[in-house]
Amino acid sequence: MIATARLGSATCALVAGFLAGAAAFTPAAAEPQAGGVALASHLAIYDLKLANSRGKRSLEAVRGRIVYDFSSACEGYGLQFRQVTSLDSGEGKTALSDLRATSWEDAEAKSFRFTSQNFLDDRMVEDVDGNAERQPDGVAVKLTKPEQKQFSAGRAVFPTEHMREILAAAHAGKSLLQIEVYDGSDNGQKVYQSLTVIGRKVAPDERKPTDAAAGQSALAGLDRWPVTISYFDKTNQSGEQTPVYSIGFELYDNGISRALVLDYGDFAVSGDMTSLELKDTKPCR
């Protein structure tokens, strides 16, 4: 699921800085794990383009690509992620954002390991390495980069755990889910308050996709839900809050996402799934 990629916050910070200067087989799903949710191992590629631009800090064009390599196993979930985005202000100035991240989350959501690097015009602007462990009194985070630091992330959930919660809520017919999320973004020191809005279930024979999801036998019989996740700064409790960023997509019952919309406030980027490879997953014993 694309929402586990931590693609919003780090990229959003780079984008904001740029804008100011310019004026997240037999193909087989994993066995059901925590919460009874089975997740498919898959490699998906999304091509990015500008969906809309508003406000004073507008963009002329956005081009880019997300490569999302997700592995689901009995022991847990691995992710290799990269998002490269070219931003054109229309004023003769462009910037290239390159986010690279890997993570591992155990199946019982007790531990989460993560690394990420962010580059702006080939210059590294963020380098994060750390791990988080769920303790009886909350999540204990230990960072080794950008500096050695330890702190508590409270009762926050990890990214794949968050996705499983969303799918469980969708199955239960819920339309809203509010939960705190720790994903290792923003130098590994940010805990977000998230609000997920889940739309009406789309049956397999409704609104058949025309992107790389089309013709995939593993997806043909699956329900999917339109989902929008908004992430809020947990430290800002004053007045009416607006999200730091939000992610919209259609979520299949096995965790695969299509039809992305990444909203950074001043502009939004759409992501069309141009390639999808479903990978074998060893059955749990």
Side-chain angles (χ1 to χ4, degrees):
M1 169 188 170
I2 201 70
T4 69
R6 302 185 299 145
L7 56 89
S9 55
T11 303
C12 188
L14 296 180
V15 169
F18 165 68
L19 289 175
F25 132 130
T26 306
E31 296 289 321
Q33 300 185 12
V37 175
L39 306 177
S41 296
H42 64 285
L43 171 64
I45 296 176
Y46 304 86
D47 283 353
L48 306 177
K49 64 180 180 180
L50 185 66
N52 62 70
S53 184
R54 63 258 187 191
K56 296 180 179 179
R57 300 185 301 178
S58 60
L59 285 174
E60 184 71 20
V62 174
R63 293 182 298 106
R65 177 166 290 180
I66 290 173
V67 178
Y68 185 92
D69 191 351
F70 181 80
S71 299
S72 177
C74 301
E75 297 81 9
Y77 310 99
L79 176 65
Q80 297 185 61
F81 171 88
R82 188 171 183 182
Q83 178 178 343
V84 178
T85 312
S86 175
L87 309 158
D88 182 354
S89 69
E91 301 174 355
K93 184 174 182 180
T94 62
L96 185 68
S97 166
D98 185 352
L99 167 62
R100 310 168 189 180
T102 61
S103 65
W104 170 261
E105 185 176 336
D106 85 315
E108 297 182 350
K110 293 181 178 179
S111 64
F112 175 53
R113 301 195 305 269
F114 53 90
T115 64
S116 65
Q117 293 180 324
N118 283 284
F119 297 83
L120 184 60
D121 293 332
D122 296 323
R123 178 177 61 88
M124 185 185 294
V125 295
E126 187 176 277
D127 189 9
V128 178
D129 193 323
N131 64 80
E133 301 287 338
R134 192 171 304 283
Q135 306 292 347
D137 58 346
V139 173
V141 179
K142 181 182 294 185
L143 299 176
T144 57
K145 293 180 181 179
E147 60 182 354
Q148 292 190 354
K149 186 173 183 177
Q150 298 183 39
F151 64 94
S152 173
R155 300 289 180 180
V157 302
F158 301 137
T160 306
E161 182 185 9
H162 186 206
M163 183 265 290
R164 297 203 309 264
E165 293 278 358
I166 292 171
L167 281 170
H171 276 282
K174 298 179 180 179
S175 59
L176 295 175
L177 177 67
Q178 192 167 3
I179 197 166
E180 292 181 5
V181 180
Y182 178 75
D183 59 11
S185 60
D186 279 350
N187 282 317
Q189 300 182 41
K190 179 73 75 173
V191 178
Y192 284 99
Q193 178 68 54
S194 72
L195 175 64
T196 302
V197 178
I198 304 169
R200 183 184 67 83
K201 179 174 68 176
V202 180
D205 59 348
E206 290 184 68
R207 303 203 322 255
K208 292 186 178 181
T210 57
D211 56 11
Q216 291 279 355
S217 59
L219 301 180
L222 294 183
D223 295 327
R224 64 188 194 271
W225 292 265
V227 171
T228 300
I229 309 174
S230 297
Y231 294 87
F232 298 86
D233 188 345
K234 188 171 177 286
T235 61
N236 182 13
Q237 302 296 329
S238 60
E240 183 178 351
Q241 287 189 283
T242 57
V244 177
Y245 67 98
S246 64
I247 306 173
F249 49 92
E250 286 191 352
L251 174 63
Y252 280 96
D253 207 6
N254 62 357
I256 292 176
S257 300
R258 63 170 299 274
L260 309 183
V261 177
L262 317 178
D263 193 333
Y264 297 105
D266 287 318
F267 67 98
V269 175
S270 62
D272 181 43
M273 186 164 64
T274 55
S275 176
L276 176 63
E277 175 189 350
L278 285 96
K279 303 183 294 182
D280 290 330
T281 302
K282 294 181 179 179
C284 296
R285 295 180 179 180

